[in-house]
Amino acid sequence: MIEITGKHLIDGQWVSSTATSFESANPATDGVNPWSFFDASETDANDAVTSANRAFRVYRRKSAAERAEFLNTIAAEIENLGEQLVEAAMSETALPQMRIEGERGRTCGQLRAFANNLLNPISPVFIDHAQPERQPLPKGDSRLTNVPLGPVVVFGASNFPLAFSTAGGDTASALAAGCSVIVKGHPAHPATTELVAHAINRAIEKCNMPSGVFNMVQSTTPQVAQCLVQHPQVKAVGFTGSQKVGDILNKLAQERPVPIPFFGELGSTNPQFVLPQKLASDAQALANNQVASMLMGHGQFCTSPGLVIIQRGEGFDGYMTALGDAISNAPAGTMLTKGIAQTYNSQVDKLSSNPALSIIASGDAGNGGCQSGAIAFSVSASDFIAQPELHEEVFGPCALVVVCDNDEQMNEIALSLSGQLTASVFGTDDELLDYIDLVDDIAQSVGRLMFNQLPTGVEVCHSMQHGGPYPASTAPQTTSVGSQAIHRFTRPLCLQNMPVSIQPEEIKDGSSHPQVIV
């Protein structure tokens, strides 16, 4: 068993410069867990960045094989935490054991996937050999590679205490890229954060990595977050959270004397377009699957399907009846924090008072401070288009069904969409061909477009795109999931006329690294 200290990990040491503390909340009991944590000061934040910057100068020179060993060792050390980690995460999030164990597997799988990609790279380096005899001017030897950006600040997410937090995808891809990391833990699960930080620190020691390659601070104050983003030695930020907070931090990142990339995943309603023939043949199954997806994690997934676009016609009444029955039977659920529950219930109350909306059905709302119930509303296409506030994400088990009278209204809605992480189109093969213009319009607003599948569940693979136009993310050209996520934390560097004796291994002629030679 690891002793939970409540302190920050800075340069390999557990420290704190303040006596101010906060408690770990237990949303299932509306009480607190038996741990308290020191609130980081700006001094702690600055020390963490200084440590990371010093370590970066060493870590960036580590070989791909050394970084791969480090990532694999982190995964093994997380698994070695055993039930202590699972129990801590359950007590801080109210998520079930199976979900936490599955997320632990995903977290370790991500780390190992990046390690494998380092050992078996798929992205080539580009080499233009010299042409000294070329006229009228000779051509020099040039080789294009990528180099790490520098220290990266990672903000832990509330809804994924493992996979998008301390050793989650942002941290894994930054370390794989050769960057050092400063994690700002999410106050919703500080014990989980500290336990994973212990595992990473053990891996640092076992792999003889510089002690400051990974640092972690815990804080409930916006000042520490602002300090980290504005620190001149920080070169990039990874963030998963609300649009409101993400916009504030992104603004700070861009207003620095030297702006830095801010990779934020902020919000998405993940629209589901149901085409008429598919609706006529599969109404009940479509409705039941929609509810099952929106109830996963009690609607607290970034890919939860919160918007359905559907046409009146054959199957419409059956869909609405089945949707209402499934929602009515949904049990109350516990949300991740009291604040998230309060925000969700406030948004539901606001929607309920909107005269343009009708309640299709609602489930048991429970009576705990962190509890809430599922609910579904319907609205006409014209009212949805006329009220932009209806396009905003409701983080929780809520769905808005937009009822269209014709294809033109469906097209109009597709064109009105803000940026989305995902969208789905449900239709027969022939029908999808007939609606290809609609499909193309939807594709302009999303990062991942699915056909006859719901969006919950994001595969960690080479072809995954987890991002999208704003406000889904702040950098739609990048992904936060999958092997390509590493490119967020690197930049291209052309090395011209570099002596072979000092060339990095991957750009040398005959290297096993994939190469495109001109």
Side-chain angles (χ1 to χ4, degrees):
M1 295 286 287
I2 291 175
E3 178 187 359
I4 295 175
T5 68
K7 295 181 179 181
H8 321 291
L9 178 61
I10 301 174
D11 202 21
Q13 303 296 315
W14 293 94
V15 299
S16 179
S17 67
T18 69
T20 308
S21 63
F22 65 97
E23 294 176 310
S24 164
N26 186 323
T29 64
D30 288 331
V32 295
N33 292 306
W35 312 298
S36 62
F37 297 83
F38 291 104
D39 234 327
S41 65
E42 292 188 24
T43 297
D44 294 322
N46 287 329
D47 287 347
V49 176
T50 300
S51 169
N53 189 58
R54 183 168 55 247
F56 172 65
R57 294 176 60 84
V58 177
Y59 185 63
R60 69 189 182 190
R61 301 294 299 273
K62 297 292 185 180
S63 68
E66 289 172 312
R67 281 178 276 143
E69 180 188 14
F70 182 37
L71 295 175
N72 282 327
T73 305
I74 292 173
E77 290 299 328
I78 290 173
E79 290 169 342
N80 288 341
L81 293 172
E83 292 307 307
Q84 185 181 10
L85 177 62
V86 175
E87 291 169 2
M90 289 172 62
S91 68
E92 291 188 315
T93 64
L95 294 172
Q97 180 176 346
M98 184 178 295
R99 157 68 191 276
I100 295 297
E101 290 176 344
E103 193 176 328
R104 178 180 60 186
R106 177 191 177 92
T107 303
C108 295
Q110 286 180 140
L111 289 159
R112 291 183 171 119
F114 280 113
N116 183 64
N117 293 338
L118 288 171
L119 296 174
N120 302 283
I122 60 171
S123 297
V125 297
F126 292 86
I127 298 175
D128 282 88
H129 283 138
Q131 298 176 12
E133 306 303 324
R134 191 184 69 173
Q135 296 296 327
L137 293 173
K139 175 184 176 182
D141 181 280
S142 60
R143 297 161 191 252
L144 185 65
T145 186
N146 288 285
V147 293
L149 294 180
V152 174
V153 168
V154 173
F155 286 84
S158 64
N159 58 334
F160 283 90
L162 297 174
F164 279 85
S165 290
T166 314
D170 288 347
T171 297
S173 54
L175 291 174
C179 298
S180 54
V181 171
I182 309 100
V183 163
K184 191 272 181 187
H186 198 285
H189 42 78
T192 307
T193 295
E194 181 175 329
L195 287 171
V196 176
H198 277 286
I200 298 174
N201 199 37
R202 286 179 172 179
I204 290 171
E205 294 171 353
K206 286 187 175 182
C207 296
N208 196 30
M209 290 294 169
S211 57
V213 70
F214 175 86
N215 303 268
M216 182 278 294
V217 295
Q218 308 262 29
S219 174
T220 60
T221 67
Q223 289 79 11
V224 166
Q226 293 168 12
C227 177
L228 289 170
V229 172
Q230 292 179 308
H231 197 292
Q233 291 176 338
V234 168
K235 301 305 180 184
V237 177
F239 174 87
T240 300
S242 71
Q243 182 179 343
K244 178 181 178 181
V245 175
D247 284 344
I248 292 170
L249 295 177
N250 189 22
K251 187 170 185 288
L252 291 173
Q254 305 318 312
E255 290 178 346
R256 292 170 35 141
V258 179
I260 58 173
F262 181 89
F263 301 104
E265 181 194 317
L266 308 184
S268 182
T269 59
N270 305 298
Q272 310 293 292
F273 286 80
V274 182
L275 303 182
Q277 289 180 24
K278 190 69 173 178
L279 178 63
S281 62
D282 292 329
Q284 185 164 348
L286 287 166
N288 289 336
N289 291 338
Q290 163 67 27
V291 174
S293 181
M294 63 181 274
L295 291 181
M296 288 182 68
H298 201 54
Q300 297 169 109
F301 284 4
C302 52
T303 54
S304 185
L307 186 65
V308 179
I309 299 92
I310 195 170
Q311 267 193 60
R312 294 188 188 278
E314 186 180 354
F316 173 79
D317 290 338
Y319 179 93
M320 297 296 274
T321 298
L323 186 78
D325 289 345
I327 292 285
S328 298
N329 291 324
T334 302
M335 304 200 82
L336 293 157
T337 70
K338 190 170 291 186
I340 290 174
Q342 290 172 344
T343 298
Y344 171 76
N345 288 325
S346 175
Q347 288 180 294
V348 167
D349 289 344
K350 184 178 180 180
L351 292 173
S352 299
S353 65
N354 188 327
L357 272 60
S358 299
I359 297 176
I360 299 171
S362 58
D364 182 8
N367 51 26
C370 293
Q371 287 196 305
S372 65
I375 192 166
F377 299 89
S378 65
V379 64
S380 69
S382 57
D383 284 330
F384 177 79
I385 292 168
Q387 298 186 44
E389 64 272 17
L390 296 180
H391 298 218
E392 297 174 3
E393 177 188 32
V394 177
F395 190 67
C398 175
L400 178 60
V401 179
V402 182
V403 182
C404 301
D405 294 319
N406 49 52
D407 291 347
E408 288 71 24
Q409 286 187 331
M410 292 190 88
N411 288 327
E412 191 173 357
I413 288 170
L415 292 171
S416 74
L417 290 175
S418 59
Q420 306 290 330
L421 291 173
T422 75
S424 300
V425 182
F426 294 86
T428 65
D429 287 353
D430 291 341
E431 191 174 31
L432 289 169
L433 186 61
D434 292 338
Y435 281 82
I436 194 63
D437 288 343
L438 174 66
V439 171
D440 285 346
D441 286 338
I442 297 168
Q444 295 303 305
S445 300
V446 308
R448 179 164 57 111
L449 181 57
M450 283 154 289
F451 298 89
N452 297 312
Q453 288 184 342
L454 284 146
T456 37
V458 184
E459 188 72 25
V460 180
C461 60
H462 295 305
S463 58
M464 181 50 60
Q465 171 62 27
H466 193 60
Y470 181 85
S473 72
T474 59
Q477 304 91 334
T478 68
T479 178
S480 62
V481 175
S483 64
Q484 301 308 297
I486 192 174
H487 296 302
R488 294 174 299 166
F489 304 120
T490 65
R491 65 174 179 84
L493 175 66
C494 176
L495 299 170
Q496 187 165 332
N497 202 35
M498 189 179 208
V500 174
S501 60
I502 62 170
Q503 285 179 1
E505 183 62 33
E506 70 270 13
I507 70 168
K508 289 182 177 179
D509 288 344
S511 168
S512 60
H513 194 289
Q515 296 179 338
V516 175
I517 300 174
V518 180

